[in-house]
Amino acid sequence: MPRHIQRRTFLAGTAAVAGAAAIPMPAIAQGAPMKIGLLTVKTGPLAAGGLHAEEGITSFLKDKNFTLGGRKVELLVADTGGNPAGAKTKAQELVERDKVDIVLGPFAAFELLATLDYLAQAKMPTLAFAGAEDVTQRKGNPYLTRTSYTSAQALYALGDYVSKEMKLKTAATIADDFAFGYEQIGGFQRVLEEDGGKVVAKLWSPLNTADYAPYIAQVPACDVVCVGLAGANPIKFIKQAKGLGIRQQLIGGSTTADDTIIGAYGDEVVGLINTNPYSLDIDSEANKRFIAAMRKNYGDGVRIGHYAACFYIDGMVIEAALAKTGGKTDNPEQFVKAIRSVTLAETPRGPISFDDHGNVVIDVYVRRAEKQGSKIVNKTIKTYHKVSQFWTMDPAAFLKQPVFSRDYPPLKS
């Protein structure tokens, strides 16, 4: 796609509609347009989520008339291709060629890890999406703030719910064989086992797996199977697992049954328990405005889920930070300080704030997949409020432990 199509600029005469709660305009702001660089995936197996991310931030900016804090805004979208080398190259282009003021993304954990050092050295304010745990933990840097969630953040609540509410204690897990998968499962395992449960098997499959039958055959006797797959992979796995007669309760994290993909399932997913940092059925005015904005800008058939919600809220965070800086972004340290001090009582995801390490504190929603008429939907059945990246653990003690990995926490059996 030609680069000019990716540059979204203010169009005079576009009517602004209600988005987030109104924030007072600063009396004096920088005259130059603010440039926002978006690193996302538009090709490959993760492209669907990456495109939803672009829709989220674009929808917010359209409804703000591409003007934030008294400044016109230009959005520059870079397709990383879903690989580390592509992400780093595109990050360099946004910083060095396009002179952006802030970077949103990248989308995947391995992309964030590949761009982390470069963006820090460039002193580039970054609103990270990918869940790679350590970027706001042991390897944090003063220019990065994560506005989405860590890989494990929604899985802590899942482990707690399975143990305390469902009274189930043994689990097998399957996840994609890369950092996001390891860290999801690590968070689930830690909470389940701290509450007296046990993970009896951990299976890892390549991101491009076409046939999950060999993995399903390895699932041992247990109470639940926790699915930490992303993209279209959870749909393929669950359809095959049910087709092959799996009887265990199926559960999953934020990418297993996001509202953007729940409609692709059939009856096989009914009863699935999943946790997510956003839910389409949140009954709040902020969420209703977000949904209305998405449908206005992309049509009634647009798929709306946590990808778009996270990037829509990036816009809200930037707007609130600009209100604190008087519209200025020329001092990266001051801009990041303003970002991290943002507290929003009402967003489509519920209230958000940031911890001392630059990671968002969020509500996590437990949902059950149900059939309503001919449609499969998620119904929220419990909300965990103010969930930290450290769950209920002391941050200092948490950070003394290894980062979640393929082998940590280890299997006890």
Side-chain angles (χ1 to χ4, degrees):
M1 184 176 290
R3 184 168 171 271
H4 71 273
I5 296 178
Q6 304 298 317
R7 301 174 70 94
R8 306 181 188 277
T9 56
F10 167 75
L11 298 175
T14 302
V17 300
I23 294 175
M25 289 291 185
I28 300 174
Q30 290 171 277
M34 180 183 182
K35 291 186 178 182
I36 298 175
L38 172 63
L39 290 170
T40 194
V41 182
K42 296 166 74 71
T43 52
L46 299 176
L51 291 169
H52 292 315
E54 182 180 353
E55 290 170 351
I57 182 60
T58 303
S59 189
F60 180 83
L61 292 175
K62 280 185 175 181
D63 285 350
K64 291 292 179 176
N65 231 6
F66 278 83
T67 304
L68 299 179
R71 294 175 64 183
K72 301 296 171 43
V73 174
E74 184 177 0
L75 178 65
L76 292 88
V77 181
D79 179 9
T80 63
N83 66 79
K88 187 171 183 180
T89 297
K90 294 300 182 180
Q92 291 172 325
E93 290 177 358
L94 288 175
V95 172
E96 298 173 23
R97 181 189 66 195
D98 298 319
K99 309 295 184 185
V100 297
D101 297 287
I102 190 168
V103 165
L104 313 186
F107 188 79
F110 48 79
E111 295 179 310
L112 180 56
L113 294 172
T115 58
L116 185 65
D117 289 344
Y118 170 75
L119 291 172
Q121 290 166 6
K123 298 183 177 181
M124 176 55 56
T126 302
L127 298 187
F129 173 79
E133 299 273 308
D134 239 9
V135 303
T136 54
Q137 294 176 8
R138 300 158 195 83
K139 298 179 180 177
N141 76 68
Y143 300 98
L144 182 142
T145 308
R146 186 179 359 239
T147 52
S148 54
Y149 56 102
T150 70
S151 307
Q153 207 161 350
L155 275 292
Y156 293 136
L158 184 63
D160 187 81
Y161 187 84
V162 165
S163 177
K164 294 178 180 175
E165 303 283 344
M166 301 177 75
K167 309 297 183 184
L168 302 176
K169 295 297 183 181
T170 59
T173 67
I174 181 166
D176 297 305
D177 196 1
F178 69 103
F180 181 62
Y182 309 151
E183 293 170 359
Q184 286 188 95
I185 298 307
F188 171 77
Q189 182 180 355
R190 173 170 282 182
V191 172
L192 183 71
E193 294 187 342
E194 285 179 350
D195 201 36
K198 188 176 183 179
V199 172
V200 297
K202 293 197 282 188
L203 306 174
W204 310 108
S205 54
L207 189 58
N208 60 353
T209 297
D211 182 9
Y212 284 95
Y215 299 95
I216 296 166
Q218 297 177 60
V219 174
C222 57
D223 296 325
V224 298
V225 176
C226 181
V227 181
L229 302 168
N233 291 342
I235 301 171
K236 292 186 289 184
F237 173 80
I238 290 173
K239 285 182 181 292
Q240 285 189 273
K242 287 293 188 177
L244 291 171
I246 200 166
R247 295 184 178 275
Q248 289 92 335
Q249 170 70 49
L250 296 179
I251 61 174
S254 59
T255 55
T256 302
D258 184 64
D259 294 315
T260 57
I261 66 170
I262 193 70
Y265 285 105
D267 290 351
E268 71 279 351
V269 80
V270 172
L272 172 87
I273 299 297
N274 64 99
T275 48
N276 200 289
Y278 169 77
S279 194
L280 194 61
D281 66 350
I282 296 172
D283 187 17
S284 70
E285 290 304 312
N287 192 37
K288 291 173 184 176
R289 287 194 296 267
F290 162 62
I291 293 170
M294 288 288 291
R295 288 175 176 165
K296 173 191 172 187
N297 292 311
Y298 293 101
D300 290 340
V302 65
R303 295 180 179 180
I304 304 171
H306 84 273
Y307 303 110
C310 286
F311 282 84
Y312 182 95
I313 291 169
D314 277 355
M316 297 178 69
V317 170
I318 292 170
E319 183 179 46
L322 289 173
K324 293 173 178 287
T325 66
K328 296 181 179 180
T329 55
D330 54 335
N331 185 317
E333 290 78 14
Q334 291 300 314
F335 190 34
V336 173
K337 182 179 179 181
I339 288 170
R340 292 190 176 188
S341 70
V342 168
T343 297
L344 297 174
E346 296 182 3
T347 81
R349 297 167 57 190
I352 68 166
S353 59
F354 297 97
D355 65 21
D356 293 339
H357 297 262
N359 192 74
V360 71
V361 178
I362 55 172
D363 285 358
V364 172
Y365 303 91
V366 182
R367 295 105 58 81
R368 181 175 57 241
E370 299 184 353
K371 192 168 186 179
Q372 292 184 0
S374 60
K375 295 182 178 180
I376 304 294
V377 299
N378 283 305
K379 180 180 178 181
T380 298
I381 53 178
K382 183 180 176 69
T383 302
Y384 285 82
H385 297 288
K386 296 183 179 180
V387 177
S388 159
Q389 66 175 329
F390 303 113
W391 185 233
T392 59
M393 308 163 206
D394 174 68
F398 182 102
L399 294 173
K400 290 179 181 178
Q401 302 297 314
V403 68
F404 295 132
S405 68
R406 210 176 192 272
D407 303 309
Y408 183 81
L411 283 173
K412 292 183 177 180
S413 56

